[in-house]
Amino acid sequence: MVSTRFAPSPTGLLHIGGARTALFNYLYAKRNGGRFLLRFEDTDRERSSSLFEEAILSDLQWLGIVPDEKASRQTERGARYAEVLERIRANGFAYPCFCPHGEDPNPRRAQADVCRFLPQEERLRKIASEEPFCVRFAVPRGCSRISFHDRLRGELSVKISSIEDFVLLRSDGSPTYLFAVVADDHDFNVTHVIRGEEHLPNTPKQELIYRALGWEAPEWTHIPMVLDSQRHKLSKRSGAISVASYREDGWTSEALVSYMATLSWAGAPADRLSDAAALAERFDIGDVSLDSPAHDPQRMSHFGKMAMRKLDPDALLREYEALFPQPESHGWDLDSDRAALISELIPGCACKKEIETAIREVFIFPPSPEEVEPADKAWLDELGRELASVAPEEWNSRDLKNTLKDFQKKRELKGKTVYHALRIKLTGTGHGIPIALFMGCLGKKKALERLDAADGL
Ligand code: GLU
């Protein structure tokens, strides 16, 4: 059975890059009727936190990338690592290293060889006298290259002489990432490792560990890293925002998942929203491109906007009612005008927070409004007086639109001229949502105040 896994370190929140690795693992497993597992690589005890574990799990669940089993934790598997290490040692591929260079990941060979070829008696004496040591992998010297297969890159091979005797167990007794991952993936029957290409240099070392244990290695797929606009690895500093904060801002999980799927997967639908389960039906790992994709906030917004268009303006109105001005006199159907205004705003918004901000902004009168043309001032006064005489129950977008139309015809003015000047007077800018709708929601008193016609009330 196909098994994949996502193996984050719980040292921070889930970001787009990590979530996309999780997504591809999930899609591959589900496409092949397999399992998707979650493992917390929490051996860095100082930086790991159960709060991050909870947050990562909750974000994954929200995204629909749901693990099939309870998450495992490396810190709970110390006894098993000791067993596996013993097996590597018994097979002749591990030795204690007492050197002062300690845990240097790349010691010079001559230096490491002192410990690698230390007489057994000497070794036992040092251990008995409690000299600190780490355990290193004894990289085989008899062959010249180690090769492995990467699903996207084909056959790869590395010169063995370029691999130093790397550390398996630190002197504090904790396993290194290189070692623990092999024991975990083997024990949890992981058949396919799909991870970021930054792990490519680790793969030959992990292959060596598999071989030393006589275990079969999983199939490797290294997916390209997501870059920022400067083509650096997407990081918190370069604007990678956590899934949690997108959630908080009211993005939908479908929008995020649909966007993440497009990061390297050529077959991902570009113009429609899909959830993880729907994407899994058509995922093909062979369609993953080797080019590093750049995080594209605009494309992400495109999916966000599609998702916002699916929301119900009436439901949004119930949520955001308090953001609207409270008109002193209510027209015949204030709610439908307000819902209509929300509908006008939705297409420009990628998440609910943007809708909220847009509603707030609609009613903020800029401190230095644009000036209306002097030529328009005369008829604006007259229009102000006419609007002042509109009955409270007719202060709604439909009736106001008719009032404006009648006025424009009577004064033989172009519609554009009237709406533009009125908009500047009322909102301070020359563009925005339909002006009659705006007036309906703003209320008669505030509208007349902005038109300097308040004394007509
Ligand atoms: N913990 C590693 C990371 O967060 C993943 C290791 C792996 O996938 O093999 O990058």
Side-chain angles (χ1 to χ4, degrees), residues 333-347:
D333 195 358
L334 183 63
D335 275 356
S336 83
D337 271 358
R338 289 170 165 185
L341 182 137
I342 292 178
S343 300
E344 288 285 331
L345 297 175
I346 285 175

Side-chain angles (χ1 to χ4, degrees), residues 5 7-9 39 41 177 181 193-195 198-199 206:
R5 47 57 166 192
S9 301
R39 173 172 78 228
E41 303 207 324
Y177 152 76
V181 163
V193 167
I194 302 169
R195 61 185 178 185
E198 66 273 26
H199 287 292
Q206 289 174 330

Side-chain angles (χ1 to χ4, degrees), residues 7-11 39-50 53 72-77 81 170 174-175 180 184:
S9 301
T11 53
R39 173 172 78 228
F40 288 117
E41 303 207 324
D42 58 347
T43 49
D44 181 345
R45 287 181 190 243
E46 270 185 18
R47 292 175 56 227
S48 297
S49 143
S50 60
E53 286 184 10
S72 61
R73 249 186 228 108
Q74 288 186 326
T75 46
E76 289 170 0
R77 290 177 35 83
Y81 298 138
R170 298 188 191 90
S174 63
D184 293 335

Side-chain angles (χ1 to χ4, degrees), residues 198-321:
E198 66 273 26
H199 287 292
L200 256 180
N202 297 326
T203 310
K205 295 177 186 168
Q206 289 174 330
E207 275 279 341
L208 285 172
I209 302 176
Y210 275 104
R211 293 177 199 189
L213 284 159
W215 291 346
E216 196 185 330
E219 180 176 291
W220 308 103
T221 306
H222 293 88
I223 55 177
M225 266 186 283
V226 182
L227 305 179
D228 63 18
S229 54
Q230 312 292 303
R231 306 218 47 91
H232 296 136
K233 183 181 175 188
L234 188 66
S235 66
K236 228 191 246 173
R237 239 177 308 139
S238 65
I241 303 174
S242 65
V243 170
S245 63
Y246 285 119
R247 248 175 107 172
E248 234 173 76
D249 286 352
W251 285 75
T252 71
S253 57
E254 264 193 343
L256 250 58
V257 160
S258 304
Y259 167 66
M260 291 188 307
T262 66
L263 296 170
S264 298
W265 174 26
D271 276 312
R272 102 177 106 84
L273 292 168
S274 322
D275 61 16
L279 291 172
E281 285 172 23
R282 47 186 299 178
F283 186 65
D284 181 352
I285 200 146
D287 279 350
V288 170
S289 138
L290 275 180
D291 300 331
S292 298
H295 172 47
D296 183 347
Q298 231 173 323
R299 179 151 31 106
M300 190 167 161
S301 259
H302 167 69
F303 285 108
K305 287 175 180 170
M306 274 191 249
M308 290 301 103
R309 271 182 241 129
K310 284 169 76 176
L311 298 181
D312 172 15
D314 289 316
L316 288 171
L317 174 59
R318 285 193 287 282
E319 206 171 327
Y320 297 129
E321 191 162 7

